[in-house]
Coordinates of all heavy atoms in Angstrom, one line a residue:
M578 N -24.2 13.6 -6.2 CA -24.6 13.1 -7.5 C -25.1 11.7 -7.5 O -26.2 11.4 -7.9 CB -23.4 13.2 -8.5 CG -23.6 12.5 -9.8 SD -22.2 12.5 -10.8 CE -22.9 13.4 -12.3
A579 N -24.4 10.9 -6.8 CA -24.8 9.4 -6.7 C -26.2 9.3 -5.9 O -27.1 8.6 -6.4 CB -23.8 8.6 -6.0
Q580 N -26.4 10.0 -4.9 CA -27.6 9.9 -4.1 C -28.7 10.5 -4.9 O -29.8 10.1 -4.9 CB -27.5 10.7 -2.8 CG -26.6 9.9 -1.9 CD -26.5 10.6 -0.5 OE1 -26.9 11.8 -0.4 NE2 -25.9 9.9 0.5
G581 N -28.4 11.6 -5.8 CA -29.5 12.2 -6.6 C -30.0 11.2 -7.7 O -31.1 11.4 -8.2
L582 N -29.2 10.3 -8.1 CA -29.5 9.3 -9.1 C -30.1 8.0 -8.6 O -30.6 7.2 -9.4 CB -28.3 9.0 -9.9 CG -27.8 10.2 -10.8 CD1 -26.5 9.8 -11.5 CD2 -28.8 10.5 -11.9
R583 N -30.2 7.9 -7.2 CA -30.8 6.7 -6.6 C -32.2 6.5 -7.1 O -32.9 7.4 -7.0 CB -30.7 6.8 -5.1 CG -31.2 5.6 -4.4 CD -31.0 5.7 -3.0 NE -29.6 5.7 -2.7 CZ -29.0 6.0 -1.4 NH1 -29.8 6.5 -0.5 NH2 -27.8 5.9 -1.3
G584 N -32.5 5.3 -7.5 CA -33.8 4.9 -8.0 C -34.2 5.4 -9.3 O -35.3 5.2 -9.8
T585 N -33.3 6.1 -10.1 CA -33.6 6.5 -11.4 C -33.2 5.4 -12.4 O -32.5 4.4 -12.1 CB -32.9 7.8 -11.8 OG1 -31.5 7.5 -11.8 CG2 -33.2 8.9 -10.8
S586 N -33.6 5.5 -13.6 CA -33.2 4.5 -14.7 C -32.5 5.3 -15.8 O -33.1 6.3 -16.3 CB -34.5 3.8 -15.1 OG -34.1 2.9 -16.1
P587 N -31.4 4.9 -16.3 CA -30.7 3.7 -15.9 C -29.9 3.8 -14.6 O -29.4 2.8 -14.1 CB -29.7 3.5 -17.1 CG -29.5 4.9 -17.6 CD -30.7 5.7 -17.3
G588 N -29.8 4.9 -14.0 CA -29.1 5.1 -12.7 C -27.6 5.2 -12.9 O -27.1 5.2 -14.0
L589 N -26.9 5.4 -11.8 CA -25.5 5.4 -11.9 C -24.9 4.1 -12.1 O -25.2 3.2 -11.3 CB -25.1 6.2 -10.6 CG -23.5 6.5 -10.5 CD1 -23.1 7.5 -11.5 CD2 -23.2 7.0 -9.1
V590 N -24.0 3.9 -13.0 CA -23.3 2.6 -13.3 C -22.1 2.5 -12.5 O -21.7 1.5 -12.0 CB -23.2 2.4 -14.8 CG1 -22.5 1.1 -15.1 CG2 -24.5 2.4 -15.5
H591 N -21.2 3.6 -12.6 CA -19.8 3.4 -12.0 C -19.3 4.9 -11.8 O -19.6 5.8 -12.5 CB -19.0 2.7 -13.0 CG -17.7 2.4 -12.5 ND1 -17.4 1.2 -11.7 CD2 -16.4 2.8 -12.6 CE1 -16.2 1.1 -11.3 NE2 -15.5 2.1 -11.9
Q592 N -18.5 5.0 -10.8 CA -17.8 6.3 -10.6 C -16.3 5.9 -10.4 O -15.9 4.9 -9.8 CB -18.2 6.9 -9.3 CG -19.6 7.5 -9.3 CD -19.8 8.3 -8.0 OE1 -19.5 9.4 -7.9 NE2 -20.5 7.6 -7.0
V593 N -15.4 6.8 -10.9 CA -14.0 6.7 -10.6 C -13.7 8.0 -9.8 O -13.8 9.1 -10.3 CB -13.1 6.7 -11.8 CG1 -11.7 6.8 -11.5 CG2 -13.4 5.4 -12.6
L594 N -13.4 7.9 -8.5 CA -13.1 9.0 -7.6 C -11.6 9.0 -7.4 O -11.0 8.3 -6.7 CB -13.9 8.9 -6.3 CG -15.4 8.7 -6.4 CD1 -16.0 8.4 -5.0 CD2 -16.0 9.9 -7.0
I595 N -11.0 10.0 -8.1 CA -9.5 10.1 -8.1 C -9.1 10.8 -6.8 O -8.2 10.3 -6.1 CB -8.9 10.9 -9.3 CG1 -9.3 10.1 -10.6 CG2 -7.4 11.0 -9.1 CD1 -9.0 10.8 -11.9
Y596 N -9.8 11.9 -6.6 CA -9.5 12.6 -5.3 C -10.9 12.8 -4.8 O -11.6 13.8 -5.0 CB -8.9 14.1 -5.6 CG -7.7 14.0 -6.5 CD1 -7.8 14.6 -7.7 CD2 -6.5 13.3 -6.1 CE1 -6.7 14.5 -8.6 CE2 -5.5 13.3 -7.0 CZ -5.6 13.9 -8.1 OH -4.5 13.9 -9.0
P597 N -11.4 11.8 -3.9 CA -12.8 11.8 -3.6 C -13.2 12.9 -2.7 O -12.8 13.0 -1.5 CB -12.9 10.5 -2.8 CG -11.6 10.1 -2.4 CD -10.6 10.7 -3.4
L598 N -13.9 13.9 -3.3 CA -14.4 15.1 -2.6 C -15.9 14.7 -2.2 O -16.7 14.3 -3.0 CB -14.4 16.2 -3.5 CG -15.0 17.6 -3.0 CD1 -14.3 18.0 -1.8 CD2 -15.0 18.5 -4.0
T599 N -16.2 14.8 -0.9 CA -17.5 14.3 -0.4 C -18.3 15.6 -0.1 O -19.5 15.4 0.3 CB -17.3 13.4 0.8 OG1 -16.7 14.1 1.8 CG2 -16.7 12.2 0.4
D600 N -17.8 16.7 -0.2 CA -18.6 17.9 0.1 C -18.2 19.0 -0.9 O -17.1 19.5 -0.9 CB -18.3 18.5 1.5 CG -19.3 19.5 1.9 OD1 -19.9 20.2 1.0 OD2 -19.5 19.8 3.1
A601 N -19.1 19.3 -1.8 CA -18.8 20.2 -2.9 C -18.7 21.7 -2.4 O -18.4 22.6 -3.2 CB -19.8 20.1 -4.0
R602 N -18.9 22.0 -1.1 CA -18.8 23.3 -0.6 C -17.5 23.6 -0.1 O -17.3 24.5 0.7 CB -19.9 23.5 0.5 CG -21.3 23.3 0.0 CD -22.2 23.3 1.2 NE -21.9 22.2 2.1 CZ -22.2 22.3 3.4 NH1 -22.8 23.3 3.9 NH2 -21.9 21.2 4.2
V603 N -16.4 22.9 -0.6 CA -15.1 23.2 -0.1 C -14.8 24.7 0.0 O -14.9 25.4 -1.0 CB -14.0 22.4 -1.0 CG1 -12.7 22.8 -0.6 CG2 -14.3 20.9 -0.9
G604 N -14.3 25.1 1.1 CA -13.8 26.5 1.3 C -15.0 27.4 1.7 O -14.8 28.5 2.0
R605 N -16.2 26.9 1.6 CA -17.4 27.8 2.0 C -18.1 27.3 3.1 O -19.2 27.8 3.4 CB -18.3 27.8 0.7 CG -17.5 28.4 -0.5 CD -18.6 28.5 -1.7 NE -19.1 27.1 -1.9 CZ -19.5 26.6 -3.1 NH1 -19.3 27.3 -4.1 NH2 -19.9 25.4 -3.2
T606 N -17.5 26.4 4.0 CA -18.3 26.1 5.2 C -17.6 26.7 6.4 O -16.4 27.0 6.3 CB -18.3 24.5 5.3 OG1 -17.0 24.1 5.5 CG2 -19.0 23.9 4.1
P607 N -18.3 26.7 7.5 CA -17.7 27.3 8.7 C -16.4 26.5 9.1 O -15.4 27.2 9.6 CB -18.7 27.2 9.7 CG -20.0 27.3 9.0 CD -19.7 26.5 7.7
S608 N -16.4 25.1 9.0 CA -15.3 24.4 9.5 C -14.0 24.7 8.5 O -12.9 24.7 9.0 CB -15.6 23.0 9.5 OG -15.9 22.4 8.2
Y609 N -14.3 24.9 7.3 CA -13.1 25.1 6.4 C -12.6 26.5 6.7 O -11.4 26.7 6.7 CB -13.6 25.1 4.9 CG -13.5 23.7 4.3 CD1 -14.7 23.0 4.0 CD2 -12.3 23.1 3.9 CE1 -14.7 21.8 3.5 CE2 -12.3 21.9 3.4 CZ -13.5 21.2 3.1 OH -13.4 20.0 2.5
A610 N -13.4 27.4 7.0 CA -12.9 28.7 7.3 C -12.2 28.7 8.7 O -11.1 29.3 8.8 CB -14.1 29.8 7.5
E611 N -12.7 28.0 9.6 CA -12.1 28.0 11.0 C -10.7 27.2 11.0 O -9.8 27.6 11.7 CB -13.1 27.3 12.0 CG -12.5 27.1 13.4 CD -13.5 26.5 14.4 OE1 -14.6 26.2 14.0 OE2 -13.1 26.2 15.5
F612 N -10.7 26.2 10.2 CA -9.4 25.3 10.2 C -8.5 25.4 8.9 O -7.7 24.6 8.7 CB -9.8 23.8 10.4 CG -10.6 23.6 11.7 CD1 -11.9 23.3 11.7 CD2 -9.9 23.7 12.9 CE1 -12.7 23.1 12.8 CE2 -10.6 23.5 14.1 CZ -12.0 23.2 14.0
S613 N -8.7 26.5 8.2 CA -8.0 26.7 6.9 C -6.5 27.0 7.2 O -5.7 26.7 6.3 CB -8.6 27.7 6.1 OG -8.6 28.9 6.7
E614 N -6.2 27.5 8.3 CA -4.8 27.9 8.6 C -4.3 27.2 9.9 O -5.1 27.2 10.9 CB -4.7 29.4 8.7 CG -4.9 30.1 7.5 CD -4.0 29.9 6.3 OE1 -2.8 29.7 6.7 OE2 -4.4 29.9 5.2
G615 N -3.1 26.7 9.9 CA -2.5 26.3 11.1 C -2.8 24.9 11.5 O -2.5 24.5 12.6
H616 N -3.6 24.2 10.7 CA -4.0 22.8 11.0 C -3.6 21.9 9.8 O -4.0 22.2 8.7 CB -5.5 22.7 11.2 CG -6.0 23.5 12.4 ND1 -6.3 24.8 12.4 CD2 -6.2 23.1 13.7 CE1 -6.7 25.2 13.6 NE2 -6.6 24.2 14.4
L617 N -2.8 20.9 10.1 CA -2.4 20.0 9.0 C -2.9 18.6 9.3 O -2.9 18.1 10.4 CB -0.9 19.9 9.0 CG -0.1 21.4 8.7 CD1 1.4 21.2 8.9 CD2 -0.5 21.8 7.3
M618 N -3.4 18.1 8.2 CA -3.8 16.6 8.3 C -2.5 15.8 7.8 O -2.0 16.1 6.9 CB -4.9 16.3 7.4 CG -6.2 16.8 7.9 SD -7.6 16.2 6.9 CE -7.6 14.5 7.4
T619 N -2.1 14.9 8.7 CA -1.0 14.0 8.3 C -1.4 13.0 7.2 O -2.7 12.8 7.0 CB -0.5 13.2 9.5 OG1 -1.5 12.3 9.9 CG2 -0.2 14.2 10.7
R620 N -0.4 12.4 6.6 CA -0.8 11.4 5.6 C -1.6 10.3 6.3 O -2.5 9.8 5.6 CB 0.5 10.9 5.0 CG 0.4 9.8 4.1 CD 1.7 9.3 3.6 NE 1.5 8.1 2.8 CZ 2.4 7.8 1.7 NH1 3.4 8.4 1.5 NH2 2.1 6.7 1.0
R621 N -1.2 9.9 7.5 CA -2.0 8.9 8.2 C -3.4 9.2 8.3 O -4.4 8.4 8.1 CB -1.3 8.7 9.6 CG -1.9 7.5 10.3 CD -1.2 7.2 11.7 NE -2.2 7.2 12.7 CZ -2.1 7.9 13.7 NH1 -1.1 8.8 14.0 NH2 -3.1 7.9 14.5
H622 N -3.7 10.4 8.6 CA -5.2 10.9 8.8 C -5.9 10.8 7.5 O -6.9 10.3 7.4 CB -5.2 12.4 9.3 CG -4.8 12.5 10.7 ND1 -3.8 13.4 11.1 CD2 -5.2 11.9 11.8 CE1 -3.6 13.3 12.4 NE2 -4.4 12.5 12.9
I623 N -5.2 11.3 6.4 CA -5.9 11.3 5.1 C -6.2 9.9 4.7 O -7.2 9.6 4.2 CB -5.0 12.1 4.1 CG1 -4.9 13.5 4.4 CG2 -5.5 11.9 2.6 CD1 -3.9 14.4 3.7
E624 N -5.1 9.0 4.8 CA -5.3 7.6 4.4 C -6.4 6.9 5.2 O -7.2 6.2 4.6 CB -4.1 6.8 4.5 CG -3.0 7.2 3.5 CD -1.7 6.4 3.6 OE1 -1.7 5.6 4.5 OE2 -0.8 6.6 2.7
Y625 N -6.5 7.3 6.4 CA -7.6 6.7 7.3 C -9.0 7.1 6.8 O -9.8 6.3 6.6 CB -7.5 7.2 8.8 CG -8.7 6.9 9.6 CD1 -8.9 5.7 10.1 CD2 -9.6 7.8 9.8 CE1 -10.0 5.4 10.9 CE2 -10.8 7.6 10.5 CZ -11.0 6.4 11.1 OH -12.0 6.0 11.8
F626 N -9.1 8.4 6.5 CA -10.4 8.9 6.0 C -10.8 8.3 4.6 O -11.9 8.0 4.4 CB -10.5 10.4 6.0 CG -10.5 10.9 7.4 CD1 -9.5 11.7 8.0 CD2 -11.7 10.6 8.2 CE1 -9.6 12.2 9.2 CE2 -11.7 11.1 9.5 CZ -10.7 11.9 10.0
L627 N -9.7 8.2 3.8 CA -10.0 7.6 2.4 C -10.5 6.2 2.6 O -11.5 5.7 1.9 CB -8.8 7.6 1.5 CG -8.5 9.2 1.1 CD1 -7.2 9.2 0.3 CD2 -9.6 9.8 0.2
K628 N -9.8 5.5 3.4 CA -10.1 4.0 3.6 C -11.5 4.0 4.3 O -12.3 3.1 4.0 CB -9.1 3.3 4.4 CG -7.8 3.1 3.7 CD -6.8 2.5 4.6 CE -5.5 2.4 3.9 NZ -4.4 1.9 4.8
A629 N -11.8 4.8 5.2 CA -13.0 4.8 6.0 C -14.2 5.1 5.0 O -15.3 4.5 5.1 CB -13.1 5.8 7.1
Y630 N -13.9 5.9 3.9 CA -14.9 6.3 2.9 C -15.3 5.0 2.1 O -16.5 4.7 2.0 CB -14.4 7.4 2.1 CG -15.5 7.9 1.0 CD1 -16.6 8.4 1.3 CD2 -15.1 7.8 -0.3 CE1 -17.5 8.9 0.4 CE2 -16.0 8.2 -1.3 CZ -17.2 8.8 -0.8 OH -18.1 9.2 -1.8
A631 N -14.3 4.3 1.8 CA -14.4 3.0 1.0 C -15.2 2.0 1.8 O -16.1 1.3 1.4 CB -13.1 2.5 0.5
V632 N -14.9 2.0 3.1 CA -15.5 1.0 4.0 C -17.0 1.4 4.1 O -17.9 0.5 4.2 CB -14.8 1.0 5.3 CG1 -15.7 0.3 6.4 CG2 -13.5 0.3 5.3
A633 N -17.3 2.7 4.3 CA -18.7 3.2 4.4 C -19.5 2.9 3.1 O -20.7 2.5 3.2 CB -18.7 4.6 4.7
L634 N -18.9 3.0 2.0 CA -19.5 2.7 0.7 C -19.9 1.2 0.7 O -21.0 0.8 0.4 CB -18.7 3.0 -0.5 CG -18.6 4.5 -0.8 CD1 -17.5 4.8 -1.9 CD2 -19.9 5.1 -1.2
R635 N -18.9 0.4 1.0 CA -19.2 -1.1 1.1 C -20.3 -1.4 2.1 O -21.1 -2.3 1.8 CB -17.9 -1.8 1.4 CG -16.8 -1.8 0.3 CD -15.7 -2.7 0.6 NE -14.5 -2.3 -0.1 CZ -13.4 -1.8 0.3 NH1 -13.3 -1.6 1.6 NH2 -12.5 -1.5 -0.5
A636 N -20.3 -0.8 3.3 CA -21.2 -1.0 4.3 C -22.6 -0.7 3.8 O -23.6 -1.3 4.1 CB -21.0 -0.3 5.5
A637 N -22.7 0.3 2.8 CA -24.0 0.7 2.3 C -24.4 -0.2 1.1 O -25.3 0.1 0.4 CB -24.0 2.2 1.9
G638 N -23.6 -1.2 0.7 CA -23.9 -2.1 -0.3 C -23.4 -1.6 -1.7 O -23.8 -2.1 -2.7
V639 N -22.4 -0.6 -1.7 CA -21.8 -0.1 -2.8 C -20.5 -0.7 -3.0 O -19.7 -0.6 -2.2 CB -21.7 1.4 -2.8 CG1 -21.0 2.0 -4.0 CG2 -23.0 2.1 -2.5
P640 N -20.3 -1.4 -4.2 CA -19.0 -2.0 -4.5 C -18.0 -0.8 -4.5 O -18.2 0.1 -5.2 CB -19.1 -2.6 -5.9 CG -20.6 -2.8 -6.1 CD -21.2 -1.7 -5.3
A641 N -16.8 -1.0 -3.8 CA -15.9 0.1 -3.7 C -14.5 -0.6 -3.6 O -14.3 -1.6 -3.0 CB -16.1 0.9 -2.5
E642 N -13.5 0.1 -4.3 CA -12.1 -0.3 -4.2 C -11.3 0.8 -3.9 O -11.4 1.9 -4.5 CB -11.7 -0.9 -5.6 CG -10.3 -1.2 -5.7 CD -9.9 -1.7 -7.0 OE1 -10.8 -2.1 -7.9 OE2 -8.7 -1.9 -7.3
Y643 N -10.4 0.7 -2.8 CA -9.5 1.7 -2.4 C -8.1 1.4 -2.9 O -7.7 0.3 -2.6 CB -9.5 2.0 -1.0 CG -8.4 2.9 -0.4 CD1 -8.5 4.3 -0.6 CD2 -7.3 2.3 0.1 CE1 -7.5 5.1 -0.1 CE2 -6.3 3.1 0.5 CZ -6.3 4.5 0.4 OH -5.3 5.3 0.8
R644 N -7.5 2.3 -3.7 CA -6.1 2.0 -4.1 C -5.3 3.2 -3.8 O -5.6 4.4 -4.2 CB -6.1 1.7 -5.6 CG -4.8 1.3 -6.2 CD -4.5 -0.1 -5.9 NE -5.3 -1.1 -6.2 CZ -5.3 -1.9 -7.3 NH1 -4.2 -1.7 -8.1 NH2 -6.2 -2.7 -7.5
C645 N -4.2 3.0 -3.1 CA -3.2 4.1 -2.7 C -2.0 3.9 -3.7 O -1.4 2.8 -3.8 CB -2.8 4.0 -1.3 SG -1.6 5.2 -0.8
F646 N -1.5 5.0 -4.2 CA -0.4 5.0 -4.9 C 0.7 5.8 -4.1 O 0.9 7.0 -4.2 CB -0.5 5.6 -6.4 CG -1.3 4.8 -7.3 CD1 -2.7 4.9 -7.3 CD2 -0.7 3.9 -8.2 CE1 -3.5 4.0 -8.2 CE2 -1.5 3.1 -9.0 CZ -2.8 3.2 -9.0
A647 N 1.4 5.1 -3.3 CA 2.2 5.6 -2.2 C 3.3 6.4 -2.9 O 3.9 6.2 -3.9 CB 2.9 4.5 -1.4
G648 N 3.6 7.5 -2.2 CA 4.7 8.4 -2.6 C 4.4 9.3 -3.7 O 5.4 10.0 -4.2
Q649 N 3.2 9.4 -4.1 CA 2.9 10.3 -5.3 C 2.4 11.6 -4.9 O 1.8 11.8 -3.7 CB 1.8 9.6 -6.1 CG 2.3 8.3 -6.7 CD 3.6 8.5 -7.5 OE1 3.8 9.4 -8.3 NE2 4.5 7.5 -7.3
V650 N 2.6 12.7 -5.7 CA 2.1 14.0 -5.4 C 0.6 14.0 -5.8 O 0.1 13.1 -6.5 CB 2.9 15.0 -6.3 CG1 4.3 15.1 -5.8 CG2 2.7 14.7 -7.7
H651 N 0.0 14.9 -5.2 CA -1.5 15.0 -5.3 C -2.0 14.9 -6.8 O -2.9 14.0 -7.0 CB -2.1 16.3 -4.6 CG -3.6 16.4 -4.7 ND1 -4.3 15.7 -3.8 CD2 -4.4 17.1 -5.4 CE1 -5.6 15.9 -4.0 NE2 -5.7 16.8 -4.9
P652 N -1.5 15.7 -7.8 CA -2.1 15.6 -9.1 C -1.3 14.5 -10.0 O -1.3 14.7 -11.1 CB -1.9 17.0 -9.7 CG -0.6 17.5 -9.0 CD -0.6 16.8 -7.6
F653 N -0.8 13.5 -9.4 CA 0.1 12.6 -10.2 C -0.6 12.0 -11.4 O 0.0 11.8 -12.4 CB 0.7 11.6 -9.3 CG -0.1 10.3 -9.1 CD1 0.2 9.2 -9.8 CD2 -1.1 10.3 -8.1 CE1 -0.7 8.1 -9.6 CE2 -1.9 9.2 -7.9 CZ -1.6 8.1 -8.6
V654 N -1.9 11.7 -11.2 CA -2.6 11.1 -12.3 C -2.6 12.0 -13.6 O -2.7 11.4 -14.7 CB -4.1 10.8 -11.9 CG1 -4.9 10.3 -13.1 CG2 -4.2 9.8 -10.8
L655 N -2.4 13.3 -13.4 CA -2.4 14.1 -14.6 C -1.0 14.2 -15.2 O -0.8 14.8 -16.3 CB -2.7 15.6 -14.2 CG -4.1 15.8 -13.6 CD1 -4.3 17.2 -13.0 CD2 -5.2 15.3 -14.4
L656 N 0.0 13.6 -14.6 CA 1.3 13.6 -15.1 C 1.9 12.3 -15.7 O 2.9 11.8 -15.4 CB 2.2 14.0 -13.9 CG 1.8 15.3 -13.2 CD1 2.7 15.5 -12.0 CD2 2.0 16.5 -14.2
A657 N 1.0 11.7 -16.5 CA 1.3 10.4 -17.0 C 2.6 10.5 -17.9 O 3.2 9.5 -18.1 CB 0.1 9.8 -17.8
G658 N 2.9 11.6 -18.5 CA 4.1 11.6 -19.3 C 5.4 11.7 -18.5 O 6.5 11.6 -19.0
L659 N 5.2 11.9 -17.1 CA 6.3 12.2 -16.3 C 6.5 11.1 -15.2 O 7.6 10.8 -14.7 CB 6.3 13.6 -15.6 CG 6.3 14.6 -16.5 CD1 6.0 16.0 -15.8 CD2 7.6 14.8 -17.3
I660 N 5.3 10.5 -14.8 CA 5.4 9.6 -13.6 C 4.8 8.3 -14.0 O 3.6 8.2 -14.4 CB 4.5 10.2 -12.5 CG1 5.2 11.6 -12.0 CG2 4.5 9.3 -11.3 CD1 4.3 12.3 -11.0
D661 N 5.6 7.3 -13.9 CA 5.2 5.9 -14.3 C 3.9 5.4 -13.6 O 3.0 4.8 -14.2 CB 6.3 4.8 -14.1 CG 7.4 5.0 -15.0 OD1 7.2 5.7 -16.1 OD2 8.5 4.6 -14.7
A662 N 3.7 5.7 -12.2 CA 2.6 5.3 -11.5 C 1.4 6.0 -12.1 O 0.2 5.4 -11.9 CB 2.8 5.7 -10.0
A663 N 1.5 7.1 -12.7 CA 0.3 7.7 -13.3 C -0.3 6.8 -14.4 O -1.5 6.7 -14.6 CB 0.6 9.1 -13.9
H664 N 0.6 6.2 -15.2 CA 0.1 5.2 -16.2 C -0.6 4.1 -15.6 O -1.6 3.6 -16.1 CB 1.3 4.7 -17.1 CG 1.9 5.7 -17.9 ND1 1.3 6.1 -19.0 CD2 3.1 6.3 -17.9 CE1 2.1 7.1 -19.6 NE2 3.2 7.2 -19.0
D665 N 0.0 3.5 -14.4 CA -0.6 2.4 -13.8 C -2.0 2.8 -13.3 O -3.0 2.1 -13.4 CB 0.2 2.0 -12.6 CG 1.6 1.5 -13.0 OD1 1.7 1.1 -14.2 OD2 2.5 1.6 -12.2
A666 N -2.1 4.0 -12.7 CA -3.4 4.5 -12.2 C -4.5 4.7 -13.3 O -5.6 4.3 -13.2 CB -3.3 5.8 -11.4
R667 N -4.0 5.3 -14.4 CA -4.9 5.4 -15.5 C -5.4 4.1 -16.1 O -6.5 3.9 -16.5 CB -4.3 6.3 -16.6 CG -4.2 7.7 -16.2 CD -3.5 8.5 -17.3 NE -3.6 9.9 -17.0 CZ -3.5 10.9 -17.9 NH1 -3.3 10.6 -19.2 NH2 -3.5 12.1 -17.6
R668 N -4.4 3.1 -16.2 CA -4.8 1.8 -16.7 C -5.8 1.1 -15.8 O -6.7 0.6 -16.3 CB -3.5 0.9 -16.8 CG -3.5 -0.2 -17.6 CD -2.2 -0.9 -17.9 NE -1.2 0.0 -18.6 CZ -0.2 0.5 -18.0 NH1 0.1 0.2 -16.7 NH2 0.6 1.3 -18.7
L669 N -5.7 1.3 -14.5 CA -6.6 0.7 -13.6 C -7.9 1.3 -13.7 O -8.9 0.6 -13.8 CB -6.0 0.9 -12.1 CG -7.0 0.4 -11.0 CD1 -7.2 -1.1 -11.0 CD2 -6.5 0.9 -9.7
M670 N -8.0 2.7 -13.9 CA -9.3 3.3 -14.1 C -10.0 2.8 -15.3 O -11.1 2.5 -15.4 CB -9.1 4.8 -14.1 CG -8.8 5.4 -12.7 SD -8.7 7.2 -12.8 CE -7.0 7.4 -13.5
G671 N -9.2 2.7 -16.4 CA -9.7 2.2 -17.7 C -10.2 0.8 -17.5 O -11.4 0.5 -18.1
E672 N -9.4 0.0 -16.9 CA -9.9 -1.4 -16.7 C -11.2 -1.5 -15.9 O -12.1 -2.2 -16.3 CB -8.9 -2.3 -16.0 CG -7.7 -2.5 -16.8 CD -6.5 -3.1 -15.9 OE1 -6.7 -3.4 -14.7 OE2 -5.4 -3.3 -16.5
R673 N -11.4 -0.7 -14.8 CA -12.6 -0.7 -14.0 C -13.7 -0.2 -14.8 O -14.9 -0.7 -14.7 CB -12.4 0.1 -12.7 CG -11.4 -0.6 -11.8 CD -11.8 -2.0 -11.5 NE -10.8 -2.6 -10.5 CZ -9.7 -3.4 -10.9 NH1 -9.6 -3.6 -12.2 NH2 -8.9 -3.9 -10.0
L674 N -13.6 0.8 -15.6 CA -14.6 1.4 -16.4 C -15.1 0.4 -17.5 O -16.3 0.3 -17.7 CB -14.2 2.7 -17.1 CG -14.1 3.9 -16.1 CD1 -13.3 5.1 -16.8 CD2 -15.5 4.3 -15.6
R675 N -14.1 -0.2 -18.1 CA -14.4 -1.3 -19.1 C -15.3 -2.4 -18.5 O -16.3 -2.8 -19.1 CB -13.1 -1.8 -19.8 CG -13.3 -2.5 -21.0 CD -11.9 -2.8 -21.7 NE -10.7 -2.8 -21.0 CZ -9.9 -1.8 -20.9 NH1 -10.0 -0.7 -21.5 NH2 -8.8 -1.9 -20.1
E676 N -14.9 -2.8 -17.3 CA -15.6 -3.9 -16.7 C -17.0 -3.4 -16.3 O -18.0 -4.1 -16.5 CB -14.9 -4.2 -15.3 CG -13.6 -5.0 -15.5 CD -12.8 -5.0 -14.3 OE1 -13.2 -4.6 -13.2 OE2 -11.7 -5.5 -14.4
A677 N -17.1 -2.1 -15.8 CA -18.5 -1.6 -15.4 C -19.4 -1.5 -16.6 O -20.7 -1.6 -16.4 CB -18.3 -0.2 -14.7
F678 N -18.9 -1.2 -17.7 CA -19.8 -0.9 -18.9 C -19.8 -2.1 -19.9 O -20.2 -2.0 -21.0 CB -19.3 0.4 -19.6 CG -19.6 1.6 -18.8 CD1 -18.6 2.2 -18.1 CD2 -20.9 2.1 -18.7 CE1 -18.8 3.3 -17.4 CE2 -21.2 3.2 -17.9 CZ -20.1 3.8 -17.2
G679 N -19.2 -3.3 -19.4 CA -19.4 -4.6 -20.1 C -18.5 -4.7 -21.3 O -18.8 -5.4 -22.2
G680 N -17.4 -4.0 -21.3 CA -16.5 -4.0 -22.4 C -15.5 -5.0 -22.4 O -15.2 -5.9 -21.6

């Protein structure tokens, strides 16, 4: 999406990537088929790749912020009524969106 909007007006102003998916073909590529069973990514691996993604964005001149909410389940942001950290995450997203859109 972001690359498709490059050079357009008004262009992309801001993105909030909660679970940053970088390939919309999830489950439909040969590598997903080959490694879908019996291979586990550890938390360390996942954090490494998420941080590397933020670093790559910054290297490309894109402002990026990586924030980890340690100890949370994958969909915790959806559980704001049950998990305090979800309120913190939503508040952070709201603040960043407000800043991006001049509010």
Side-chain angles (χ1 to χ4, degrees):
M578 172 184 240
Q580 288 181 350
L582 293 172
R583 183 177 289 162
T585 65
S586 182
L589 185 65
V590 175
H591 191 83
Q592 291 186 83
V593 174
L594 303 174
I595 299 171
Y596 312 114
L598 177 64
T599 57
D600 187 339
R602 299 173 300 152
V603 172
R605 298 182 306 216
T606 64
S608 65
Y609 275 105
E611 182 178 351
F612 299 110
S613 64
E614 297 294 326
H616 296 83
L617 299 173
M618 287 189 68
T619 66
R620 177 181 175 153
R621 188 175 124 233
H622 291 125
I623 293 170
E624 287 181 0
Y625 169 80
F626 288 115
L627 290 174
K628 289 177 186 174
Y630 184 61
V632 168
L634 286 172
R635 287 186 202 113
V639 177
E642 176 179 348
Y643 169 78
R644 184 71 58 100
C645 176
F646 289 85
Q649 298 306 315
V650 295
H651 185 74
F653 87 99
V654 172
L655 303 175
L656 303 172
L659 302 171
I660 300 175
D661 290 338
H664 290 292
D665 298 336
R667 288 178 173 204
R668 197 170 299 112
L669 175 65
M670 289 183 281
E672 289 170 4
R673 295 303 180 265
L674 288 168
R675 198 169 21 261
E676 291 166 5
F678 292 101

